[in-house]
Every structure is written in C-alpha cells, then in structure tokens.
Amino acid sequence: MDAPTGSALATPQPPAAVRLRDQPFTLAHWGATLPERDVTPEEAYGPLTAKEQEELAECHRAIDNARSAQWLLGRALEIVRRRRLYRGEGTRTWPQYLAAEHDGMTEREARRLQEEWRLAKAVQEALGKPAPASHVRAMLDYADSTSNEQAASDYVMLRGAFESGQVRLAAHQITARVAKALESASVEKDPQNRRQAVALHWRENHVPQPSIPAPAKAPDNVQAASPSKEAADPVLGAADAAERALERLNQALMDEDATLRRAAVDAEHLQKRLRKVGRILAKVVVPADDVIDAEIVEGGPHS
C-alpha cells in the first residue's frame, strides 16, 4: 500500500540544488564504468560531449572523495584515541588497536594524520575541493605559526597565483615559501606580531617563481674553438647534473598519480636504490692539484 501524501513514512527527497558530487562517495553512487576498450584518437575529437563530461565529473568526484577520506581518517583516529574507543574489551592499548584494525599502522603515522586533518579540512572548505596531501603537509608549519584558517586562505592565494601564471605548484615550492615566511618573523617575540609578520611576508611573496632550467651545455667543438677560455671542469658539470637530477627526483616524488600506481614492494626497491646513490655521493672526494695551489702562493706579485 502506498504511503499517503505527506505521511511521516514517506521517504524525503533531497533538494534539487544538491549536487551528486557533494554526497558521500559509495559504490552505489558510482555511475561510470570502465570501457571495454580504449577510445581511439579518431573517435575522440573536439569538445567533450555531455555524456563524457558526466563521466569525467564522476571520476573527479572519486578523486576528491579519496583525498577527503585521507583527512577524515585522521579525524576518525583522533576520535578513537581521545575517547579511548580503542580499548575493546577493556585492556587493548592504542598501539594494539592500530596494529589490529589498521594493518599495523605506526603511532607516528597515526599522529601525523591527526595533526593534518584540521588543516586539510580548512583548505578543502577554502578551495572548494580537497588539496593534495603533500600540499597540506607542506603548509603545516605555516598553520602552526598562524592558524589553520589563515594557512588555508594563503594556500588558496598561492595556488591561484600559480594557476594564473600557468605554472604547476609543487610541494617543495610551498615548503620553500613557508621557510622564508617563518624566517622573516623569527625576531618577533610577541606571538600576535609574529603571526602578522608571517602572513605579511607570505602575501608579499606569493607570486610564482618556477625553477629555471639549467642552460644546455655547449657542444665540445664550440668550447674547443674558444682557446681564451679554460676548459670547463668536468666535475662541475657532473655536480650540475646531479643537482638537476635531484630536482627531477623531488618533482617525481610529488606525482600523486604515480604514487597511487606504485606497489609497496616497488617503493621499497626504489628507496634502496636511492639510498645506495646517497651513500656513494656521501663518500665522493674531489681531488685538486696541490702544485697549482703552490704556484698561486709562490708566484704572486710579492714572491
């Protein structure tokens, strides 16, 4: 029997203004399905159709919900810890709870998630969508020196400046700006003055400053044709190459898509390779000719 109109048993309908993207993401809401085959370039041309735009929106909603779930996990962990819900039958400890319920999550990782969730929530509210976890983590020290709301607002400002300049914003760029802003206020003793100084410096220096690629090395025959210039030190060239490689590594570490595809065993293997390179570089000794140094000292104008 149908429920009468206006009955308390009738299922309430959501307002028309509510967007699907704002709803909690579950498999029941997942409308997009994997295609049976890839679309060829001949089939996919021109602007997206209405159906394609809907499919893309569904995929973006899944990405946003995955990022939101990260800070929601931190919030949930804090509730469990502060209300001591981890105790189970009465004797289970917090580390035992993490090991049993969260696949061996360490206390350090759980603490980091709890430290980040408030800022991540503030950033999502200010930005209108969740930010990458690496960006939130890079803003933590700034939030500690100002407030979560101030950090969220200034992050949105920085991100907008980079997007306007069509420059990709990376976490290491945020970290560098935070360090400069905090350094500018290190002499301030009053907490309120320190917060204001940090925010002021940030707003004065929020314009994007993309890394400038190193100039291409001139061909060997060009260098040989200039006898007035000394031959470039090959170790200097190698050091420049190492610095460029480090910059590429930092950018690669910020690639979240690659992180999601990378298995734990692969990450461990890569970590070992990078540590091996670090150990080798740490043992490098750059030799020099003592005779040349002696000639500089002994052959000077006062010798």
Side-chain angles (χ1 to χ4, degrees):
M1 179 177 179
D2 295 335
T5 303
S7 170
L9 298 177
T11 303
Q13 297 298 317
V18 175
R19 297 176 302 167
L20 182 61
R21 189 180 178 108
D22 294 332
Q23 300 302 307
F25 180 79
T26 64
L27 289 178
H29 291 111
W30 181 245
T33 57
L34 288 175
E36 296 179 358
R37 61 178 180 82
D38 293 345
V39 177
T40 64
E42 292 75 21
E43 294 172 313
Y45 61 91
L48 294 178
T49 65
K51 184 176 184 301
E52 289 174 328
Q53 290 177 355
E54 183 179 347
E55 291 177 348
L56 180 62
E58 284 287 303
C59 293
H60 284 174
R61 190 168 64 87
I63 294 171
D64 287 353
N65 276 272
R67 289 177 171 174
S68 298
Q70 189 73 7
W71 68 257
L72 285 170
L73 172 59
R75 181 177 185 179
L77 288 171
E78 182 171 318
I79 293 173
V80 171
R81 180 182 60 81
R82 297 181 66 177
R83 294 183 61 82
R84 300 183 184 276
L85 303 178
Y86 55 79
R87 66 186 186 276
E89 297 297 327
T91 60
R92 188 167 62 175
T93 64
W94 172 245
Q96 290 172 340
Y97 163 80
L98 293 176
E101 303 290 347
H102 296 280
D103 299 322
M105 177 185 291
T106 64
E107 290 185 78
R108 179 179 179 181
E109 183 180 0
R111 181 168 57 252
R112 177 180 61 77
L113 290 170
Q114 293 171 74
E115 291 172 348
E116 293 176 3
W117 80 261
R118 287 182 175 82
L119 175 57
K121 179 176 180 291
V123 168
Q124 179 170 331
E125 292 173 348
L127 186 63
K129 62 180 181 180
S134 59
H135 287 196
V136 173
R137 199 165 300 131
M139 290 292 297
L140 275 177
D141 288 342
Y142 188 86
D144 289 340
S145 298
T146 55
S147 67
N148 289 324
E149 292 70 25
Q150 181 73 52
S153 174
D154 289 344
Y155 167 78
V156 172
M157 177 191 300
L158 177 67
R159 180 162 173 157
F162 269 68
E163 290 176 351
S164 298
Q166 296 183 339
V167 180
R168 179 179 176 273
L169 177 61
H172 72 271
Q173 294 169 313
I174 302 175
T175 301
R177 280 168 168 75
V178 169
K180 289 182 179 179
L182 298 183
E183 183 181 3
S184 69
S186 59
V187 296
E188 294 288 347
K189 303 300 181 183
D190 182 72
Q192 181 64 25
N193 292 340
R194 187 182 305 114
R195 285 193 294 268
Q196 292 177 353
V198 169
L200 178 62
H201 184 85
W202 178 277
R203 291 175 180 270
E204 290 177 346
N205 297 274
H206 73 277
V207 293
Q209 298 176 357
S211 301
I212 302 176
K217 181 181 178 182
D220 294 337
N221 57 352
V222 174
Q223 291 182 356
S226 303
S228 60
K229 294 184 179 180
E230 295 183 0
D233 190 331
V235 177
L236 176 61
D240 291 339
E243 290 177 350
R244 291 195 297 271
L246 180 59
E247 183 176 352
R248 288 185 58 190
L249 175 61
N250 288 331
Q251 293 175 351
L253 291 173
M254 296 302 108
D255 190 330
E256 294 194 351
D257 292 335
T259 300
L260 293 174
R261 297 192 303 268
R262 187 179 301 122
V265 63
D266 295 331
E268 184 178 359
H269 177 66
L270 290 172
Q271 186 75 55
K272 290 180 179 179
R273 289 181 61 186
L274 292 173
R275 286 176 177 171
K276 180 179 179 181
V277 172
R279 289 194 297 268
I280 293 173
L281 291 176
K283 296 178 180 179
V284 169
V285 177
V286 179
D289 193 341
D290 295 336
V291 175
I292 295 178
D293 294 336
E295 291 176 351
I296 294 175
V297 175
E298 298 173 2
H302 302 290
S303 61

